[in-house]
Amino acid sequence: MTDKTVLISQQGAVRILTNSNLGARNAITPTLYAELSAALTDAESDPEVGAVVFTGAGDFFCSGGDLNLLAKRRELPASERREKLEGLHDLIRGIRDCGKPVIAAVEGGAAGAGLSMALACDMLVSARDAFYTVAYVKVGLTPDGGATAFLSEFVSRQVLTEMCLTGDRMPAERLHALGAVNRLTDKGAALAEAIALAAKVANGPQRASARIKTLCRQAHRSTLEEQLEAEAVYMVESQADAEAAEGIGAFLGKRTADFTALRQQKPQAT
């Protein structure tokens, strides 16, 4: 298994996916695109998995794209360069669209597309001494992986422009203050904290959680009327779901709801 880029482990209902490319500070490669996408698909379909934690091996989350590979792409026609870039973008979509909560655990730093992957996750746990950088400009490139889209949810246009034009590092504490980081930890403790957070949501109602993820993801770009409509659609679906019967029944019966057995069930027809 040492030849794998993505290492897979499990703690309870939490699936842990680790990008292991230590020789390049966990730089992104086409192998990562394929392995991580497959691992996310498998986690989503596995009833034993309630949430996913994504992290980097060692003491650094991800240094972004492999510049040795990117340098060779200059020789390719534009259509092939675009095709290869879509490997990254499909991965970002896969992280965003996973039906189960995905939590990033960041140590050291997240640069370039590593920043994009961290922000594509539903929640982010970061070591206090970690940094984040949109580093592309320093090598004559422009951002990809949704970096500008994700950051624009938290920072002003002026701050976004400064980050992208300078490539300067932004401390985790500042991103936490801006709302992009959910929890700060001491150095070396991000993974344990992310697993604890994942465990907290892993035993929740899977289908309701997926609907909530969608609502939260689209809320910042939807009008009130659009969001009211989406909320209405999902509430009507949820009310007919066995998850609601279990949750409401548990509350009224003064017991703890057990949603685990319902993961293998399909939503009831409305």
Side-chain angles (χ1 to χ4, degrees), residues 220-264:
H220 75 281
R221 62 175 182 269
S222 298
T223 65
L224 174 60
E225 288 304 319
E226 290 170 338
Q227 199 67 1
L228 286 171
E229 174 62 21
E231 289 179 352
V233 168
Y234 283 145
M235 176 58 90
V236 169
E237 288 182 7
S238 295
Q239 287 171 340
D241 200 300
E243 292 178 340
E246 168 61 16
I248 294 172
F251 180 84
L252 296 177
K254 301 184 186 307
R255 62 178 175 83
T256 300
D258 181 6
F259 297 110
T260 303
L262 301 178
R263 287 184 189 150
Q264 296 177 321

Side-chain angles (χ1 to χ4, degrees), residues 10-241:
Q10 186 100 4
Q11 287 195 27
V14 178
R15 178 69 53 85
I16 304 162
L17 307 178
T18 304
N19 175 20
S20 182
N21 183 12
L22 288 170
R25 291 207 303 177
N26 300 323
I28 296 171
T29 66
T31 301
L32 176 68
Y33 302 160
E35 290 186 12
L36 184 54
S37 295
L40 286 167
T41 299
D42 182 69
E44 185 168 12
S45 63
D46 190 337
E48 299 302 316
V49 177
V52 176
V53 169
F54 177 48
T55 192
D59 58 3
F60 203 85
F61 180 73
C62 180
S63 59
D66 186 329
L67 293 180
N68 291 311
L69 293 177
L70 293 177
K72 295 178 181 178
R73 291 186 183 176
R74 297 183 68 252
E75 305 166 5
L76 300 176
S79 60
E80 291 188 37
R81 295 199 300 271
R82 177 59 185 266
E83 181 181 356
K84 291 183 180 299
L85 178 59
E86 283 305 310
L88 169 63
H89 285 184
D90 285 343
L91 174 57
I92 295 296
R93 295 181 185 105
I95 296 172
R96 178 198 65 185
D97 295 336
C98 182
K100 295 177 181 178
V102 182
I103 301 172
V106 176
E107 293 282 351
L115 166 70
S116 298
M117 289 198 303
L119 292 178
C121 296
D122 300 301
M123 291 180 276
L124 201 169
V125 176
S126 176
R128 189 171 280 103
D129 66 339
F131 68 85
Y132 298 80
T133 173
V134 192
Y136 301 86
V137 70
K138 293 188 174 182
V139 291
L141 295 174
T142 55
D144 60 9
T148 54
F150 294 128
L151 284 169
S152 70
E153 298 175 18
F154 306 102
V155 304
S156 68
R157 174 176 55 82
Q158 290 84 352
V159 172
L160 176 61
T161 304
E162 178 185 357
M163 289 184 69
C164 292
L165 287 182
T166 65
D168 288 346
R169 296 179 176 187
M170 180 172 282
E173 289 188 337
R174 187 175 182 193
L175 275 187
H176 180 258
L178 291 166
V181 172
N182 293 81
R183 297 184 182 180
L184 289 173
T185 73
D186 292 335
K187 181 178 180 179
L191 179 57
E193 182 67 19
I195 292 172
L197 178 57
K200 186 174 184 178
V201 299
N203 293 320
Q206 177 181 311
R207 294 182 292 278
S209 294
R211 297 177 188 121
I212 290 169
K213 276 191 54 168
T214 301
L215 288 172
C216 293
R217 187 178 72 232
Q218 67 189 30
H220 75 281
R221 62 175 182 269
S222 298
T223 65
L224 174 60
E225 288 304 319
E226 290 170 338
Q227 199 67 1
L228 286 171
E229 174 62 21
E231 289 179 352
V233 168
Y234 283 145
M235 176 58 90
V236 169
E237 288 182 7
S238 295
Q239 287 171 340
D241 200 300

